[in-house]
């Protein structure tokens, strides 16, 4: 293994020119903007920032694109980046002012630099678990009550509030504009201003990030793709946490070269149908169909032929599963699933049955699916264990009654009680099922009277909802109510942003008269008995919680009568 030193400028240039590429085994770009912020802060202070690992191969290796725009190269065989993708992609985006592409959507990485940051380090980075949701890109809030905290920070994720302040400068602008262009915007009166030297020194220090040197370890040309894949898996298992699906993908592409392009094409096909599904779910379905269990531990024992045969079964099973979920269950967006593992179970169920299903079996499975989704069968701890339990039931000849028995063992009872809904948020299965039940009741936006849908906003996989008792209103008149109570699903209604802006911070006792009673009725909202008053907020949510629990049970077929 050889070693070389490269500056950030060199490495960013190699990505842009195509001299540095990603091998097929690499995972997606997953960093949040806050991770980029912390990287810049470390480089600005000259802190260690890890080693870059690459491979210089004599053989032709399938590659994949960076999340940042880059050349395909000039015919010279590139260095293949094994460790350092997240850091170098982030630096390329910030230095070049280019957006990153995540799931076919481009987004900028806007970081601000504080020209008035303290000389000594006063802000300590928070250590948080990664959120497995690439839609949550990470941000620094711009609320006024934490402005003092921002003053102690050197870099922050951009917000309009901070960007409007003269001491905050876009990091991308620092690398692409001169002091003569930047300083007049900072409020300096001229070169004789007391702050002039400090600001110019600090801008120079930011620009010096491009001279930061990374050590690159380069694996020998003689190593095979399979051995390099094993190194990649080991390095990423010991270092920054990768999802098991990322490591499984590396092992699969080592056995079945060119498979990533096949997987990506199918993933894009599903996205075109309105289902934005993580590649990890597709791979988990593949492994489940081949091995009758969902964990990726067995990937290394599978042959290329196993994988290719399993892939043909996977596309057929997933196509059926999504058709079933959309047509039979009425779920037309992954936003309405409490866990995408439900897709894996449904695909396995379809494949195991040979697609020969009687009407009663389909109806029974549909009911189990809805209850499992509402209850959050796979959305809490040990989700893979629960998935394997359900696969085992189906593998051993069981049916929906066996799946329901497992569900009952997990939760004790399947019906929802009002007390069980206390503290449930918009991320819960109960909330998503509430949406489905209200949509069945033809609930509409209160202004446009469009029936509620997760796709009206123009973004796939987004349910738009807002507070019945607006947060701003409660903050003024009931500051004693905690945030969890305000965000409880009993205080949420499915209305659009236009309607929400019309309501603003008005009390329900005022805005309710602008809308029809049936608009409220279809979402189990009752303001009778004075429950449109902030003084009776607790009584309002208690009554609505009871109404919601009854509606959920009726929708799920868990109650005998429609009261």
């Amino acid at each position: 293994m050889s070693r070389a030193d490269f500056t950030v400028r060199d490495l960013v240039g190699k990505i842009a020119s195509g001299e540095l590429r990603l091998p097929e085994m690499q995972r997606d770009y997953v960093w949040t903007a806050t991770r980029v912020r912390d990287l810049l802060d470390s480089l600005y202070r000259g802190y260690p920032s890890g080693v870059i690992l690459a491979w210089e191969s004599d053989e032709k290796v399938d590659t994949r694109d960076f999340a940042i725009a880059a050349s395909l190269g000039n015919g010279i065989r590139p260095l293949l980046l094994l460790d350092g993708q997240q850091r170098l992609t982030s630096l390329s985006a910030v230095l070049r002012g280019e957006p990153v592409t995540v799931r076919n959507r481009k987004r900028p990485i806007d970081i601000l630099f504080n020209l008035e940051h303290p000389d000594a380090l006063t802000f300590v980075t928070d250590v948080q678990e990664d959120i497995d949701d690439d839609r949550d890109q990470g941000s620094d809030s711009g609320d006024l009550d934490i402005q003092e905290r921002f003053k102690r920070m050197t870099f922050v994720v951009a917000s309009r509030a901070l960007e409007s302040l003269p001491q905050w400068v876009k990091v991308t602008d620092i690398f692409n504009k001169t002091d003569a262009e930047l300083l007049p915007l900072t409020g300096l009166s001229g070169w004789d201003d007391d702050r002039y030297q400090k600001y110019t020194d600090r801008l120079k220090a930011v620009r010096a990030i491009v001279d930061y040197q990374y050590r690159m370890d380069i694996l020998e040309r003689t190593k095979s793709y399979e051995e390099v894949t094993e190194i990649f898996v080991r390095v990423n298992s010991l270092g920054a946490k990768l999802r098991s699906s990322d490591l499984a993908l590396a092992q699969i592409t080592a056995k079945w070269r060119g498979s990533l392009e096949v997987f990506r094409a199918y993933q894009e096909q599903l996205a075109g149908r309105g289902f934005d599904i993580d590649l990890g779910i597709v791979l988990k379905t593949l492994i489940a169909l081949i091995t009758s269990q969902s964990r990726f531990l067995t990937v290394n024992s599978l042959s290329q032929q196993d994988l290719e045969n399993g892939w043909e079964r996977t596309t057929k099973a997933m196509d059926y599963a999504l058709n079933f979920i959309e047509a039979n269950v009425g779920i037309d967006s992954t936003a309405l699933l409490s866990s995408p593992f439900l897709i894996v179970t449904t695909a396995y169920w379809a494949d195991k049955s040979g697609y020969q299903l009687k009407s009663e079996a389909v109806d029974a499975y549909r009911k189990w699916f809805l209850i499992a989704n509402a209850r959050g069968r796979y959305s809490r701890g040990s989700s893979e264990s629960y998935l394997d339990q359900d696969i085992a039931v189906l593998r051993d000849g069981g049916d929906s009654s066996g799946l329901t028995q497992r569900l009952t063992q997990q939760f004790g009872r399947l019906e929802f009680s009002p007390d069980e809904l206390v503290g449930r948020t918009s991320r819960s299965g109960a909330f998503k099922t509430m949406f489905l039940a209200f949509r069945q009741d033809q609930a509409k936006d209160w202004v446009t009277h469009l029936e509620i849908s997760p796709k009206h906003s123009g973004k796939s996989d987004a349910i738009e909802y807002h507070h019945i008792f607006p947060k701003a209103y409660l903050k003024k008149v009931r500051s004693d109510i905690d945030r969890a109570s305000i965000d409880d699903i009993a205080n949420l209604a499915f209305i659009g942003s236009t309607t929400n802006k019309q309501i603003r911070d008005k009390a329900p006792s005022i805005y309710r008269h602008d809308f029809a009673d049936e608009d409220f009725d279809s979402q189990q909202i009752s303001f009778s008995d004075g429950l449109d008053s902030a003084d009776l907020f607790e009584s309002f949510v208690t009554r609505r919680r009871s109404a919601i629990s009854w509606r959920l049970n009726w929708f799920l077929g868990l109650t005998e009568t429609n009261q």
Side-chain angles (χ1 to χ4, degrees), residues 531-542:
L531 297 188
D532 55 3
S533 165
D535 292 339
L536 296 178
F537 173 77
E538 290 84 357
S539 298
F540 168 83
V541 294
T542 297

Side-chain angles (χ1 to χ4, degrees), residues 89 140 324 484:
T89 300
D140 287 316
F324 176 86

Side-chain angles (χ1 to χ4, degrees), residues 410-424:
Q410 182 182 3
F411 294 102
R413 57 183 304 230
L414 302 183
E415 298 87 352
F416 282 97
S417 68
D419 288 345
E420 287 180 284
L421 298 181
V422 175
R424 297 283 184 123

Side-chain angles (χ1 to χ4, degrees), residues 12 15-18 21 65-72 89 92-93 96 98-101 106:
V12 169
I15 291 175
S17 66
R21 296 278 294 166
D65 293 333
F66 279 91
I68 189 80
S71 168
L72 295 179
T89 300
S92 294
R96 294 164 52 194
E98 293 277 353
V100 291
T101 301
K106 290 186 176 183

Side-chain angles (χ1 to χ4, degrees), residues 492-503:
L492 301 180
F494 301 108
I495 56 175
S497 59
T498 301
T499 304
N500 185 55
K501 289 174 183 176
Q502 180 172 321
I503 293 172

